[in-house]
Amino acid sequence: MKPPSRLLLALPLLLLATACGTGEATTSVTARPAQGGTLTYATDREPTCLDPHVAGDMPQAYVAQQVLDSLVALDAKGRARPWLATSWDIAKDGRTYTFHLRRDVRFTDGTRFDAAAVKANFDHMVDPDTQSGTAGGYLAPYQRTDVLDAFTARVHLDRPYSPFLNMLAQAFLGIQSPKALARSKEANCAAPVGTGPFIVRKWNRQSDVVLVRNPRYNSPPPYAKHRGPAYADKVIWRFIPEPATRFAAVQSGQVDVIDALPPEDQRTAEHDDRLKVVVRDRPGNPTNLALNTSRAPFDDLRVRKAFLYSADVADGLKSVFFGQYRRAGGPLSYVTPHYSDAHENAWPYDPQKADSLLDRAGWRERDGDGYRVKNGVRLTAEVLLKSDITPNQLALMEQVQATAKDVGFQLKLLRLDAASVNTRYQAGKYDLRDGYWNTNTPDVLHTVFGSEYAARNGIHSNATYAKDPALDKLFRAAQATTDPDEQQRLYGEAQRLISAGAYQLTLYPQTTRLAAHHGSVRGAALEPALSLPYLYDAWVSSR
């Protein structure tokens, strides 16, 4: 890599120094790595598509991390490091990035990795037909890529965009074979092709994804612990939605590693000598209920404030998650760079304040069921939930529903299939929507609250429909500067405005929660960019 520019120096340093690192799960194990065998991994949710460019949800990123490489990586201090790009130059105006690429890498379908492949990937991410909510959203400033020569690609942006390298380090923007991208969307969803340590062999829907080792792998990231092909011959990526079944599977050794360790089983796992537990909170926008400000009743700031005061989140987390989840009170998870703790207690449980605000908003009367009414209309809000919501998450929603009822809100919890949720979400037909956004930069505030992401009738990431010119101005200024102190000030002011706007009921940070069986696996780790599971360095000892 060439000497870091001022822009590189502006990358957040706090995140990984305090929260991520490589997170190796088995640092106390002294056994030597062993080649071969099958590693069985179990998770709670099945992706709808394995191509992380499409839509862009965490289950896709989990699998993509094993199959795709990225242009850059983050180190333990949050600094961008070479990966498929050996170096890069950033223009003084921050609008042009020139990437110099490795010359010795091929995709697993035999296609050469080169500048044309980089262009094909960026173009694929921003193509409306790809329907990319995450990667495409991150590339909102993207204009075009010029292929300067076989191994040099120049990316043009429409504005200075300091979070760009952090975005590129995420699995959502993993690099795929242009030949594979040219297939149908369905074919690429079933088996994306990368340069990574594993190859998608087969996706057995509602059961598992079979990954096999890439025997010619030669491009591990700088945080990897070894070079050459992965240790395991095969990874069986199983889907076990039921929490107790998933935990029993790792306890018994039927699977080697699970994620989404159930909070009710965490203490048991921590005291089980057969298991190693790794829990790490992720950066970004915490799990939340987004209040749709584009329609009643939450187009009234007083009603939004009343709803936030009505929710007893702290007690709910304590009872539902057994004290294993901390409260997130502000719009950024505490492990996000430039996080401010000034807003953690901005919206405590206070039913008296909620009552007063609703009275002032004209919701003074109550009907026979105790709900508030105004002009003959009941104070009702529909909560959009996916049918695969976990039992713990549903229980927390029911507690929020109960305390909201005490002050006069009727919350209707709508559990719908994913397609129905997406259709209503894209059309803005909801009052509250549960969600989160994992990313490694405070610019997540722009993604979640920026006006340009509040599109009607289509894919959008601004679930609250917040449209505040003052916020937009702060986001543009923060993206344009390379001064960390100035970024802290600008993103800090953005957090203040967002908290004051009562756009979200924030609940708890997103967390990676792994349990690995000591008797059969070593080396399972978390990568630094998003704390995703990383199995390249893992080896199995009993299979």
Side-chain angles (χ1 to χ4, degrees):
M1 186 182 69
K2 295 185 177 181
S5 68
R6 291 181 62 197
L7 193 56
L8 288 175
L9 293 173
L11 291 171
L13 304 180
L14 176 64
L15 164 65
L16 301 176
T18 59
C20 287
T22 56
E24 190 171 345
T26 54
T27 53
S28 63
V29 177
T30 58
R32 295 173 63 86
Q35 196 83 37
T38 297
L39 190 158
T40 305
Y41 184 98
T43 187
D44 58 340
R45 290 198 294 151
E46 182 172 13
T48 55
C49 170
L50 299 186
D51 176 359
H53 298 178
V54 177
D57 199 1
M58 291 304 289
Q60 296 170 268
Y62 273 40
V63 176
Q65 188 66 40
Q66 321 310 321
V67 176
L68 309 181
D69 292 337
S70 299
L71 283 182
V72 305
L74 295 188
D75 67 13
K77 294 185 178 180
R79 296 170 299 198
R81 297 299 186 199
W83 193 350
L84 290 178
T86 58
S87 65
W88 48 87
D89 306 305
I90 305 172
K92 288 183 179 179
D93 65 2
R95 297 169 185 251
T96 303
Y97 287 67
T98 302
F99 293 97
H100 307 279
L101 309 176
R102 286 186 59 153
R103 297 167 178 259
D104 59 344
V105 178
R106 287 191 174 273
F107 296 96
T108 55
D109 63 1
T111 305
R112 184 180 71 177
F113 166 72
D114 56 17
V118 171
K119 173 179 170 55
N121 273 264
F122 286 141
D123 289 349
H124 181 251
M125 294 175 206
V126 301
D127 186 338
D129 290 341
T130 303
Q131 295 187 306
S132 180
T134 300
Y138 290 160
L139 292 181
Y142 177 79
Q143 290 184 317
R144 71 180 191 279
T145 298
D146 294 336
V147 177
L148 302 187
D149 60 41
F151 297 103
T152 308
R154 178 165 293 164
V155 177
H156 297 269
L157 307 174
D158 67 5
R159 72 193 78 158
Y161 190 46
S162 57
F164 187 44
L165 294 176
N166 277 47
M167 304 298 192
L168 294 182
Q170 300 181 27
F172 293 111
L173 288 82
I175 301 298
Q176 302 181 46
S177 162
K179 179 180 176 182
L181 289 176
R183 300 173 299 174
S184 69
K185 184 176 179 181
E186 291 72 23
N188 210 58
C189 275
V193 176
T195 60
F198 293 99
I199 303 167
V200 177
R201 170 62 57 83
K202 189 177 183 182
W203 183 2
N204 301 301
R205 309 281 176 152
Q206 301 182 335
S207 177
D208 57 61
V209 176
V210 179
L211 308 176
V212 297
R213 181 172 54 198
N214 174 5
R216 288 178 286 277
Y217 187 57
N218 64 347
S219 50
Y223 53 78
K225 301 296 186 185
H226 79 286
R227 318 305 289 177
Y231 292 129
D233 286 338
K234 183 188 295 185
V235 174
I236 307 295
W237 196 275
R238 293 182 58 187
F239 309 114
I240 305 180
E242 208 286 315
T245 304
R246 192 168 60 254
F247 182 61
V250 73
Q251 271 190 311
S252 67
Q254 293 178 4
V255 305
D256 301 303
V257 183
I258 65 168
D259 66 40
L261 172 66
E264 61 269 28
D265 295 317
Q266 182 171 331
R267 189 172 296 276
T268 298
E270 289 171 341
H271 288 83
D272 189 332
D273 291 339
R274 299 170 299 176
L275 302 179
K276 177 68 177 179
V277 175
V278 176
V279 176
R280 188 150 297 152
D281 290 333
R282 300 182 195 135
N285 182 227
T287 303
N288 65 82
L289 282 178
L291 285 66
N292 186 344
T293 65
S294 70
R295 68 181 201 174
F298 294 127
D299 56 348
D300 187 328
L301 176 60
R302 295 166 297 184
V303 178
R304 299 203 299 273
K305 289 181 175 180
F307 176 69
L308 267 55
Y309 279 129
S310 79
D312 190 359
V313 177
D315 274 2
L317 292 175
K318 191 178 301 180
S319 61
V320 172
F321 291 106
F322 302 87
Q324 302 296 343
Y325 283 54
R326 62 185 290 164
R327 173 75 198 274
L332 286 182
S333 166
Y334 73 99
V335 294
T336 312
H338 303 318
Y339 155 82
S340 169
D341 65 0
H343 317 292
E344 282 294 333
N345 300 306
W347 302 104
Y349 175 54
D350 193 331
Q352 288 74 33
K353 283 187 177 179
D355 279 329
S356 176
L357 284 161
L358 290 175
D359 286 344
R360 280 187 277 155
W363 297 92
R364 298 185 183 87
E365 300 177 1
R366 296 201 184 223
D367 62 18
D369 294 322
Y371 297 114
R372 291 181 182 258
V373 294
K374 183 169 72 172
N375 300 327
V377 177
R378 177 180 280 185
L379 181 55
T380 301
E382 293 183 338
V383 187
L384 211 52
L385 303 172
K386 289 184 178 178
S387 55
D388 63 353
I389 186 172
T390 69
N392 302 89
Q393 291 168 329
L394 180 60
L396 181 60
M397 292 299 104
E398 290 170 343
Q399 292 213 22
V400 170
Q401 181 186 47
T403 55
K405 181 180 180 181
D406 290 341
V407 303
F409 282 99
Q410 182 187 30
L411 295 192
K412 294 182 177 179
L413 306 184
L414 305 182
R415 296 181 64 186
L416 306 173
D417 61 82
S420 299
V421 167
N422 289 337
T423 297
R424 292 191 58 151
Y425 177 68
Q426 291 185 21
K429 295 181 177 178
Y430 59 92
D431 300 308
L432 294 156
R433 164 75 197 275
D434 73 322
Y436 58 83
W437 201 281
N438 296 309
T439 195
N440 50 20
T441 158
D443 203 61
V444 67
L445 299 175
H446 173 228
T447 304
V448 176
F449 300 101
S451 296
E452 69 179 303
Y453 295 104
R456 205 71 173 180
N457 297 318
I459 294 176
H460 61 99
S461 54
N462 183 344
T464 69
Y465 289 100
K467 293 183 178 179
D468 184 342
L471 274 175
D472 294 333
K473 186 176 179 181
L474 287 168
F475 297 146
R476 289 298 182 103
Q479 291 172 351
T481 184
T482 59
D483 182 340
D485 292 336
E486 183 63 0
Q487 288 182 329
Q488 179 77 51
R489 185 187 72 78
L490 294 165
Y491 284 122
E493 177 61 9
Q495 290 171 72
R496 188 190 70 76
L497 290 179
I498 292 165
S499 180
Y503 295 112
Q504 292 181 335
L505 175 65
T506 48
L507 301 170
Y508 54 88
Q510 281 281 298
T511 306
T512 300
R513 316 172 71 82
L514 295 187
H517 197 281
H518 258 324
S520 60
V521 67
R522 303 285 191 274
L526 304 182
E527 56 80 41
L530 287 176
S531 294
L532 302 181
Y534 182 60
L535 302 180
Y536 167 66
D537 289 319
W539 70 94
V540 289
S541 58
S542 62
R543 291 180 174 84

